Amino acid sequence: MDTKTVRPPADDRSSHSGAVSSYHARTAHRFEAFAQGPESLDWDAQPAPFRHYVGCNTVDLPRLDTFDSTHLRRGFGAIQSAATVQPLDLAHLGALLQLSLGLTAWKSFGPDRWALRANPSSGNLHPVEAWVIARGVPDLVDGVHHYRPERHALSLRAADAPGVEATPSLSIAISSVMWREAWKYGERAFRYCQLDVGHALGSLRYAAAVLGWTLAEQRQVGHDTLAHRLGLDREADYPARRQPTAEREEPEVLLSVGLGADAPRLDPVAVAARADEATWFGTASTIDPHPMYRWPVIDDVATRTRRRDGTPAPDRSEQTAIRPNVTPPDQGPAVTDLILQRRSAQRFDHVHVMSRRELRTVLEVLDARLPVPFDVLPEQARVDLVMMIHRVADLPSGLYLVERHNDTDTPSRLADTFAEFSDLAPIPDLPLRELRAISPQVLKRVSRTLHCQQDIAATACLALGMVVPLESALKLDPASYRDLHRAAGLIGQTLYLVAESLGLRGTGIGCFFDGPVRESLALQDQGLTTLYHFTLGKALDDPRIETTPAYTTQKEPTA
């Protein structure tokens, strides 16, 4: 396909870029007011956290505790090295999905009960839905399957017409039920959906690495074609009682899985043809029968950031695979354990001090050149970090610039921005540059204020903001708005797991005052902004909350 002819005309790109910039400004939190959202929430009428399709055959997947999965246990420090390529069968497909998108526990407090998942989500609302497109997998019909995390099962949505291809293949797709986030967060929800997609990409990449598999985004398959392949454009299959947009799903990402070789490149024409020839089954369950609000700006920004078929593959020239010096191979906690035990901290010990060694480990696994998980989304290399360090041994509290390329001999891309604060001398033995020393009391107060008065930003050992060149990126491609948010979520997923490996916990923060943050970091005149913030520290668990296993031993009957 001729990729030179598929870009929107320049005037369309300019119009879309301007509209996306306006959306970002419109949905900023300010000291004077938060972004527009619902005036009240009825928690008893929360959107359904799980979707299923009535009238589809469902196959229960093997869980990690139902077969010998000891061969999948790899130390966190060894995840960057090549692993034995596992066969494509139901057991290992189940492992991929359980370790990336499955449930990890149930929590309960009084009459309330909620699920935790391997992929974290803003407000634990989980807009992400996952799809499997399979061919030649034993005991699985060729076609499109919807993943049901609450049951760890696949429902056949479309059976493909018989083909002549003999090679087994696997693709994973992600869509978003944007209403789940909009129900609580209003107009800012599109941002959070993209952050959640980034977390899902990270969780999928880590799970694939455990299996010796690789992932490659199929960006040349446009959003409309992906929607067609997944059946998301079949309006009759998504009935709505009141508001159609509350029931619809937004196509997000298509990933091709590599099994011992590079992941194959998919042809958009062939992808669409498969959907046309397939036999479809099922009707979507209801997400929200009585939505109280509408946020048209979310649908508008989604439309303006979609890509067409034939989009060129992203530039990976900034990324060179390296092997970090984190921990010796096969030592340290197993990645599978870290994934299943990952939690978001709700409170931090306000006196715990992170060691310098622990901070060095965190910074090493954030190196932009690492293949896992960063090779799944090249835009992550455009994300820099500014860190508010509260309590790290042998480091004064203050503001620091993180060098994600881990090369302190090369000036940071943000060095000119922060030159007024200091000469940006590197910290010995750490890929950090000190920007400004700030007293602990002042830093604690400022950090809490900037993060919507949230204590976790002030009581953590450190908080950080993910800085991106949003203005220049949008001028080139409005769809980069999705990519940069996803890149931030991808980095957040890495922070969650490295925190767990150190006996610490992390928490992603999507609520911060956009303008004041830029002013505090001197970003307002540089075309730079922060898209996502994160905290790390020693978590304090609430003993009143009960934890129970993610899955019972008794399987539900097939629907």
Side-chain angles (χ1 to χ4, degrees), residues 333-516:
V335 179
T336 51
D337 292 341
L338 297 179
I339 291 171
L340 296 177
Q341 75 186 40
R342 184 214 61 80
R343 305 286 187 268
S344 294
Q346 304 301 313
R347 290 190 304 146
F348 287 118
D349 182 342
H350 69 281
V351 298
H352 181 80
V353 178
M354 178 186 285
S355 72
R356 193 181 179 104
R357 177 192 61 80
E358 289 171 335
L359 178 60
R360 182 182 302 112
T361 299
V362 170
L363 297 175
E364 285 175 337
V365 300
L366 292 178
D367 193 300
R369 297 167 294 179
L370 293 176
V372 180
F374 297 131
D375 62 4
V376 76
L377 188 64
E379 282 81 5
Q380 58 79 26
R382 307 182 72 182
V383 182
D384 287 296
L385 307 176
V386 175
M387 192 171 283
M388 297 179 180
I389 291 184
H390 294 289
R391 296 181 310 283
V392 173
D394 303 320
L395 279 180
S397 64
L399 206 60
Y400 292 80
L401 175 65
V402 177
E403 307 285 0
R404 286 197 62 235
H405 282 84
N406 209 10
D407 183 359
T408 54
D409 294 329
T410 302
S412 167
R413 288 169 291 180
L414 296 182
D416 291 340
T417 301
F418 295 107
E420 63 182 88
F421 292 130
S422 70
D423 59 4
L424 296 182
I427 305 298
D429 303 322
L430 291 173
L432 284 176
R433 297 176 189 266
E434 184 178 3
L435 300 176
R436 179 194 293 166
I438 304 175
S439 70
Q441 296 80 8
V442 172
L443 185 63
K444 185 175 182 179
R445 184 178 70 251
V446 170
S447 185
R448 179 189 289 110
T449 299
L450 292 178
H451 294 90
C452 304
Q453 302 296 337
Q454 296 180 84
D455 279 340
I456 55 173
T459 57
C461 293
L462 60 88
L464 61 87
M466 304 183 192
V467 182
V468 301
L470 184 63
E471 185 177 302
S472 60
L474 289 181
K475 288 180 180 178
L476 292 176
D477 183 5
S480 64
Y481 193 67
R482 296 182 189 242
D483 300 327
L484 291 175
H485 277 87
R486 294 170 183 177
L490 182 69
I491 292 169
Q493 188 66 14
T494 298
L495 286 166
Y496 269 120
L497 294 187
V498 70
E500 292 287 343
S501 75
L502 297 172
L504 304 173
R505 283 265 156 89
T507 298
I509 299 181
C511 185
F512 52 87
F513 293 111
D514 300 61

Side-chain angles (χ1 to χ4, degrees), residues 159-190:
D160 284 350
V164 296
E165 301 91 341
T167 304
S169 67
L170 179 68
S171 297
I172 306 294
I174 294 173
S175 61
S176 288
V177 181
M178 295 192 296
W179 179 249
R180 286 190 181 127
E181 293 286 349
W183 171 82
K184 180 179 180 181
Y185 296 115
E187 292 188 346
R188 199 173 169 98
F190 185 77

Side-chain angles (χ1 to χ4, degrees), residues 232-249:
L232 303 181
D233 59 354
R234 298 172 61 85
E235 295 185 7
D237 295 350
Y238 294 84
R241 299 183 186 179
R242 182 174 179 181
Q243 183 177 313
T245 55
E247 300 302 318
R248 304 311 298 272
E249 296 184 26

Side-chain angles (χ1 to χ4, degrees), residues 239-247 286 288-294:
R241 299 183 186 179
R242 182 174 179 181
Q243 183 177 313
T245 55
E247 300 302 318
T286 300
D288 189 345
H290 303 294
M292 295 178 60
Y293 297 90
R294 292 188 69 248

